[in-house]
Amino acid sequence: MLEFQPIKDLEYEYNADLGLSYASPVRGVWNIVHIGTLVPQAHEIYVCPTSCLRGVVLTTAEMGAMDRLSTITVGEDNILEGDMEEALQRGTERIIAELPVRPRAMLIFTSCVHHFLAVNYQRVYRVLREKYPDIDFIDCYMDPIMRRTKPAIPNLWQQIHRLLKPVQAFNKQQVNYVGNCFGYGEYCDLTQMLLSRGITVKQLQTCKDYDDFLGMANSAANITFHKTAVRAAKDMEIRLNQKWLPMRPGCSYEEFDEDLRTAAEFLGIAPPSAEEITEQRKQTEEAVRSTCELLAGTPVSVDYTAVDRPLETAQYLIDHGFNVESVFVDVFTESREVFERLQKTAPDLKIYQSLGWNIRRMDRTHGEGKLVAIGQKSAYFKNTNHFVNIIENEGMYGYRGIRRLMELLSDAYLNEKPMRELVQIKGWGCCGE
Amino acid sequence: MKKDYQTHVFTMTYTADVSGVCSAMYELGGMSVLHDPSGCNSTYSTHDEPRWFDTDSLMYVSGLDEITAVMGDDNVLIRDVVQAAHDLQPRFITLCGASIPHIIAFDFRGVAYLIEKECGIPVLPVPTDGLKSYVSGVGLALSAWLERFADPKEYREYRASGSENGALDDSSVSDLKEADPEKGRPRINIVGATPLDFSVNGNIQSLKKCFEEAGYVVNCCMAMGTYGSDSTGESTGACIAEAGSTTAQTAAAEKNTGMSARDRLFERMQHAYRADVNVVVSSAGRKPAGLMKKKSGMPFVEGLPIGAEQTKALLDAVSETIRDGIGRKAWSDSAAGAAGQASDAAGCPSTKDSILVIGEEIFAKSFSNAINMLPETVRKGRTASPMWPDVDEGIAETDLAEAVRNSAVVIADPLYRTILQSPRAAGRTIQFIDFPHEAYSGRIYREDIPVFCSAEFSIQQLLGKC
């Protein structure tokens, strides 16, 4: 088995996230600990065996946020005696008693063993809610054994927003962005449209305290940019009756325009005018053209940690004259249409499985000359210091997003970064870098 | 009321048994498979494995999912491991697991047998459960390796052929053949060494040097030392990968012997029984040393050379043990502090105004002993006491807070400072001396870990900070 295959040889149903997996040293993608700390004035409790706790506590320690997390270790005696519920309740009570500052909310993460031993943790939460009415308790999960049906990150986004309580009337002048690790501002067409028309955008990243966060319940709509947020948005639509407006984070001009029109229509504001759109497209095409000229055929590699739609991004770049040589992706989550078009237009495009066992011993070189990577995984596996160091689109959406990507690509081409140091930082953007 | 070992309001957890297994096997040319859904592998490779970026040793997670666990379908794992082994041709395979295999009673031995039967590569079953500390994992892994690859009969042969007075004449280990100067010198093994306790900053090289300068031959170091530093302890960035950035030294060794560093360590460990004594340098080494004693009678000495006095104590203990064949510890329980409690896990000092040393057991006891052998004026009349995590339970935070409150000085990993926020530790000014430990704080303070395994290590200077 090679570490890569040409796209022409692959099936659309390809999924490398099955079975034996490798973990590269690339650690920029956020995990549930990073996301949990976005909730202001909340405290996380992880209830797991030692092997699972190790990762979460060190994630927290590396963030310098040990005051935001406590743990309850599951031991052999809990498994044998079946006292998981008591240990959870007793531990939580002790944590509340000893914390120097009383948290407003507690995110309690149970793990795979709780699921397999059918632990009745909801009963414990009920008791805790009665005993501590000033604290909101929410059940969260670190149970990767359930990742096929209930993946951890989408589930966490859902649970975090379950802290919000239903309201009688919505504020039509306010919307939420749901499920983003990074704030969406300057490089997001939607944010610019909303702000220019007097709409307030609430995002976890900018909530100043817990009450501010709870104010998200008043918003008229929840806007998502990532697939990982879909679960939360659907849940909020049912539970809080808030409208869900999904934005498509690819490179299609038509989709950008349509998504902005839909949002504007729902909020009763003016969508971007035809002139605005024309101007945006002109500026974008110009930015792409000049970047392509600068790179002058330099090979480019794209990975799924940097952009939500790596195949679509690769196709867009190829369509605009870039020399895209590879894509790192473990599961195809884009449409069959995108996949098949890329098979036709770039049949020899290399598709690497970043989780595959053979990639551990791949030749991490890229031949002579430069290679520019979009994303940390591409940078690591292709061993290049010329790379765009972003995670999860990093607040980029629409025409402005593409232009920003071109800026970053140009900068990556011209300037080297210390790849070895940067890609090993866990949770890019969380550790004060 | 039952002591609450489980709740950690402020403090961390030590690394788990699964990481210990992978760490112990890392430099031996095998492939470690961690039977677990996900996460343990990235935790290990991110926080517990300083060699991960620069080398290409093999460690994978099985990706166990709900349906496979519920159905007990071990064929998924067997098929994947056989296929990967076919592609990568490791010298052996280690199969360990975390909590879910434990609660579904996964048959480590049976599956190991089936994989081995199918791919013809030796498979070591190491039945970890993700519930214990790395000390358990390292010990289990090294023991399983020795059981499979080392021959206890060699100890008898070695003793018969001149034993403590010289190395074997008919050594089949190419390294040993070149080592004629070693002839006539007693041989020791270093047991229980992993980066989790010693990092990759030169501690192991310093440890070897300490014994070599005292006239011993280091027969093998279980199971690290091929990465990171040369014999002087200077960091070289040496890499055990066959391809890539090996140092001139490593490359030359490979050229001369036709073997990679991995192969050479493997072969040295295969002949672990060709030594006079095992020196157990961390509690993780107790189990393999105990196994070797049981299988062959080879005695072992526990201790670390930290500073001049403790180094002398260790070397004396080794020398005595070689002479009389009786295992011993390089400390006296009274001098190491925590008298009467030293055999209990997580020994807790009861005296006020003491110096509390928190860390892995043999480190903490050796360090405490080293401090207590200093003149009273240097330690300001204080006595050092060790505190160490229990393999199953860790350290109860209530005990930790009490011990800290009862101490004037605490020598511990910097992340233990978080206990000072506990109301249980309040009411006293504590002088805290940072002493990072990779098995606790992972990579965060790696750059600050000192080379402490040395007669030259100045405890006096360290205590001078308080």
Side-chain angles (χ1 to χ4, degrees):
Chain A
M1 190 173 83
L2 289 170
E3 62 264 17
F4 74 86
Q5 287 175 277
I7 193 168
K8 67 185 177 199
D9 295 343
L10 284 169
E11 299 291 328
Y12 176 64
E13 288 77 17
Y14 154 96
N15 185 350
D17 183 26
L18 288 172
L20 206 65
S21 298
Y22 161 66
S24 76
V26 180
R27 301 260 51 103
V29 172
W30 286 33
N31 65 27
I32 51 176
V33 179
H34 300 119
I35 292 169
T37 54
L38 287 175
V39 183
Q41 296 179 279
H43 194 80
E44 295 178 62
I45 299 177
Y46 283 80
V47 194
C48 336
T50 300
S51 57
C52 316
L53 283 182
R54 177 76 175 162
V56 297
V57 288
L58 279 171
T59 298
T60 316
E62 289 188 356
M63 292 172 74
M66 281 297 284
D67 57 339
R68 302 285 308 274
L69 174 138
S70 301
T71 62
I72 302 169
T73 314
V74 172
E76 181 82 35
D77 48 348
N78 299 127
I79 294 171
L80 296 175
E81 291 168 23
D83 64 347
M84 295 275 207
E85 289 90 346
E86 288 85 343
L88 172 56
Q89 182 181 336
R90 216 172 34 236
T92 306
E93 287 175 354
R94 201 183 120 196
I95 291 164
I96 293 169
E98 293 192 15
L99 281 177
V101 178
R102 201 168 176 90
R104 293 290 306 279
M106 289 193 124
L107 279 58
I108 303 179
F109 292 78
T110 49
S111 62
C112 304
V113 282
H114 295 90
H115 177 75
F116 265 69
L117 295 174
V119 174
N120 188 358
Y121 34 78
Q122 291 296 356
R123 178 173 167 270
V124 178
Y125 299 139
R126 202 160 55 239
V127 172
L128 291 169
R129 284 177 188 125
E130 281 169 18
K131 191 167 177 182
Y132 305 98
D134 59 323
I135 299 175
D136 290 336
F137 294 91
I138 195 76
D139 52 316
C140 299
Y141 303 90
M142 184 170 74
D143 53 356
I145 199 150
M146 299 299 295
R147 66 195 183 285
R148 306 262 177 255
T149 51
K150 203 175 70 174
I153 288 185
N155 195 49
L156 178 58
W157 284 122
Q158 172 191 281
Q159 294 305 103
I160 283 175
H161 292 94
R162 283 195 172 179
L163 288 164
L164 304 180
K165 296 162 184 76
V167 295
Q168 293 299 317
F170 296 116
N171 178 358
K172 266 270 188 183
Q173 298 298 302
Q174 179 178 301
V175 297
N176 301 327
Y177 283 179
V178 171
N180 301 329
C181 294
F182 300 92
Y184 276 62
E186 191 182 348
Y187 306 114
C188 173
D189 289 350
L190 180 69
T191 308
Q192 296 308 309
M193 180 186 86
L194 296 173
L195 295 181
S196 67
R197 286 150 176 85
I199 304 291
T200 302
V201 175
K202 287 190 81 73
Q203 314 189 52
L204 260 176
Q205 291 77 8
T206 53
C207 286
K208 60 184 186 296
D209 56 27
Y210 188 66
D211 289 324
D212 194 16
F213 162 67
L214 291 181
M216 290 175 83
N218 300 316
S219 298
N222 293 310
I223 295 170
T224 61
F225 295 87
H226 303 283
K227 280 197 171 170
T228 48
V230 168
R231 194 182 184 100
K234 282 184 176 174
D235 188 66
M236 293 163 87
E237 194 161 48
I238 295 165
R239 207 173 52 80
L240 303 176
N241 207 24
Q242 287 173 316
K243 174 77 175 171
W244 171 35
L245 297 170
M247 299 292 120
R248 287 167 285 185
C251 301
S252 161
Y253 296 169
E254 288 71 31
E255 286 182 359
F256 296 155
D257 298 341
E258 188 184 340
D259 290 347
L260 260 61
R261 262 198 312 275
T262 306
E265 192 178 320
F266 175 76
L267 295 166
I269 58 175
S273 65
E275 293 73 30
E276 275 180 84
I277 290 172
T278 305
E279 179 56 24
Q280 285 293 329
R281 286 189 180 193
K282 189 178 150 203
Q283 285 180 26
T284 304
E285 286 291 314
E286 174 52 30
V288 174
R289 190 191 55 75
S290 62
T291 307
C292 187
E293 276 177 17
L294 176 70
L295 265 64
T298 303
V300 175
S301 180
V302 184
D303 85 53
Y304 74 95
T305 66
V307 290
D308 271 32
R309 295 185 172 183
L311 297 184
E312 195 176 317
T313 304
Q315 182 72 68
Y316 179 85
L317 293 173
I318 289 167
D319 288 345
H320 285 79
F322 288 84
N323 174 21
V324 180
E325 65 106 50
S326 59
V327 175
F328 286 77
V329 58
D330 291 308
V331 186
F332 292 143
T333 57
E334 298 169 65
S335 71
R336 183 183 285 274
E337 188 189 342
V338 170
F339 170 76
E340 287 176 349
R341 183 161 170 242
L342 203 48
Q343 272 189 319
K344 286 194 187 94
T345 53
D348 295 322
L349 182 74
K350 295 174 188 167
I351 303 291
Y352 287 86
Q353 309 176 356
S354 75
L355 300 172
W357 60 70
N358 280 324
I359 208 163
R360 174 60 164 160
R361 289 201 170 151
M362 80 174 264
D363 177 18
R364 290 201 305 109
T365 56
H366 54 265
E368 287 182 12
K370 277 184 197 175
L371 178 143
V372 183
I374 299 177
Q376 295 187 342
K377 283 208 171 180
S378 286
Y380 168 73
F381 286 113
K382 291 289 176 181
N383 198 21
T384 178
N385 288 331
H386 293 277
F387 73 108
V388 177
N389 189 24
I390 57 168
I391 297 296
E392 289 197 8
N393 293 352
E394 203 157 300
M396 300 188 294
Y397 170 76
Y399 299 109
R400 287 172 178 81
I402 291 176
R403 293 204 294 274
R404 174 63 177 162
L405 181 62
M406 292 303 123
E407 278 176 31
L408 295 173
L409 201 49
S410 300
D411 178 68
Y413 174 79
L414 295 170
N415 303 303
E416 293 189 70
K417 296 184 183 74
M419 182 271 288
R420 182 194 169 93
E421 286 73 35
L422 292 177
V423 302
Q424 292 190 82
I425 295 170
K426 201 170 187 181
W428 178 245
C430 288
C431 299
E433 67 278 349
Chain B
M1 193 181 159
K2 197 175 155 188
K3 191 183 281 184
D4 182 2
Y5 280 99
Q6 295 171 288
T7 309
H8 291 259
V9 185
F10 304 99
T11 54
M12 292 273 304
T13 183
Y14 278 90
T15 193
D17 49 10
V18 288
S19 286
V21 173
C22 300
S23 185
M25 298 290 96
Y26 196 84
E27 295 186 24
L28 291 167
M31 176 170 91
S32 296
V33 176
L34 207 171
H35 195 29
D36 179 60
S38 169
C40 288
N41 59 328
S42 59
T43 294
Y44 166 69
S45 60
T46 307
H47 301 291
D48 296 332
E49 187 42 81
R51 301 161 290 188
W52 191 246
F53 193 99
D54 295 311
T55 60
D56 64 358
S57 286
L58 306 173
M59 194 285 293
Y60 302 105
V61 70
S62 66
L64 180 66
D65 61 19
E66 187 193 25
I67 193 71
T68 312
V70 169
M71 302 302 288
D73 186 2
D74 298 333
N75 286 322
V76 176
L77 173 70
I78 295 168
R79 183 198 63 214
D80 281 359
V81 175
V82 168
Q83 184 61 52
H86 176 265
D87 288 352
L88 299 161
Q89 291 297 310
R91 194 157 185 178
F92 67 99
I93 297 164
T94 307
L95 180 62
C96 62
S99 55
I100 294 298
H102 177 59
I103 63 169
I104 62 171
F106 174 73
D107 181 0
F108 285 93
R109 287 185 63 178
V111 171
Y113 172 79
L114 291 172
I115 294 170
E116 182 167 337
K117 194 175 157 195
E118 205 150 326
C119 67
I121 294 171
V123 183
L124 309 178
V126 182
T128 47
D129 54 22
L131 303 169
K132 301 182 182 66
S133 87
Y134 69 103
V135 168
S136 166
V138 173
L140 285 169
L142 290 177
S143 301
W145 195 96
L146 288 164
E147 285 259 32
R148 183 66 190 258
F149 297 113
D151 182 1
K153 287 202 292 292
E154 285 193 346
Y155 182 64
R156 204 168 52 238
E157 291 163 10
Y158 171 69
R159 302 280 293 179
S161 71
S163 67
E164 63 267 27
N165 296 318
L168 288 174
D169 292 334
D170 60 345
S171 170
S172 61
V173 185
S174 49
D175 274 8
L176 298 185
K177 277 188 174 173
E178 294 166 11
D180 277 343
E182 296 177 350
K183 204 171 175 182
R185 293 158 61 194
R187 304 171 74 84
I188 60 116
N189 295 320
I190 294 169
V191 188
T194 66
L196 294 167
D197 287 320
F198 298 96
S199 196
V200 287
N201 62 348
N203 263 312
I204 291 303
Q205 287 72 20
S206 180
L207 195 54
K208 287 179 183 170
K209 190 176 156 203
C210 164
F211 287 106
E212 283 162 1
E213 286 181 352
Y216 295 97
V217 173
V218 177
N219 182 51
C220 72
C221 177
M222 297 180 218
M224 66 175 287
T226 63
Y227 171 85
S229 302
D230 63 20
S231 59
T232 64
E234 293 293 316
S235 177
T236 62
C239 174
I240 66 172
E242 281 130 340
S245 57
T246 54
T247 60
Q249 195 179 31
T250 309
E254 289 184 18
K255 194 178 171 189
N256 288 339
T257 61
M259 289 196 289
S260 69
R262 273 194 284 249
D263 289 337
R264 281 184 286 125
L265 183 58
F266 188 100
E267 297 225 353
R268 277 184 169 274
M269 275 183 55
Q270 267 192 307
H271 299 291
Y273 284 98
R274 293 180 180 180
D276 296 282
V277 64
N278 279 324
V279 181
V280 175
V281 294
S282 80
S283 45
R286 277 194 187 126
K287 193 172 179 67
L291 173 85
M292 291 176 75
K293 181 171 169 49
K294 188 177 159 196
K295 296 269 181 185
S296 70
M298 186 191 288
F300 64 89
V301 171
E302 294 183 5
L304 275 173
I306 305 176
E309 293 300 317
Q310 177 62 18
T311 299
K312 184 175 180 309
L314 176 63
L315 293 173
D316 287 349
V318 170
S319 168
E320 285 287 294
T321 295
I322 290 176
R323 190 177 55 76
D324 62 16
I326 299 169
R328 44 177 54 78
K329 293 165 182 170
W331 61 78
S332 66
D333 283 343
S334 56
Q341 296 180 37
S343 59
D344 299 332
C348 177
S350 54
T351 55
K352 291 205 171 187
D353 205 31
S354 62
I355 300 169
L356 180 66
V357 180
I358 307 173
E360 183 282 321
E361 183 181 348
I362 287 178
F363 162 81
K365 286 180 173 175
S366 297
F367 206 154
S368 296
N369 198 46
I371 292 171
N372 293 337
M373 283 192 289
L374 293 172
E376 283 218 7
T377 47
V378 174
R379 51 190 164 90
K380 297 176 185 167
R382 293 169 179 146
T383 302
S385 301
M387 188 174 209
W388 64 94
D390 178 77
V391 174
D392 291 301
E393 311 283 7
I395 297 177
E397 206 172 84
T398 46
D399 287 349
L400 175 69
E402 190 190 340
V404 167
R405 199 181 59 235
N406 283 338
S407 302
V409 179
V410 174
I411 300 173
D413 187 279
L415 282 182
Y416 270 110
R417 284 176 181 269
T418 54
I419 194 61
L420 301 176
Q421 298 166 43
S422 168
R424 294 171 195 268
R428 172 132 199 220
T429 304
I430 313 288
Q431 290 174 305
F432 202 104
I433 298 176
D434 292 336
F435 208 97
H437 181 196
E438 193 125 1
Y440 194 65
S441 57
R443 61 184 182 173
I444 300 175
Y445 305 104
R446 188 174 289 155
E447 302 300 317
D448 303 325
I449 297 174
V451 177
F452 56 86
C453 295
S454 159
E456 285 77 46
F457 180 70
S458 174
I459 299 169
Q460 196 164 341
Q461 198 177 346
L462 189 79
L463 292 177
K465 292 179 182 174
C466 60

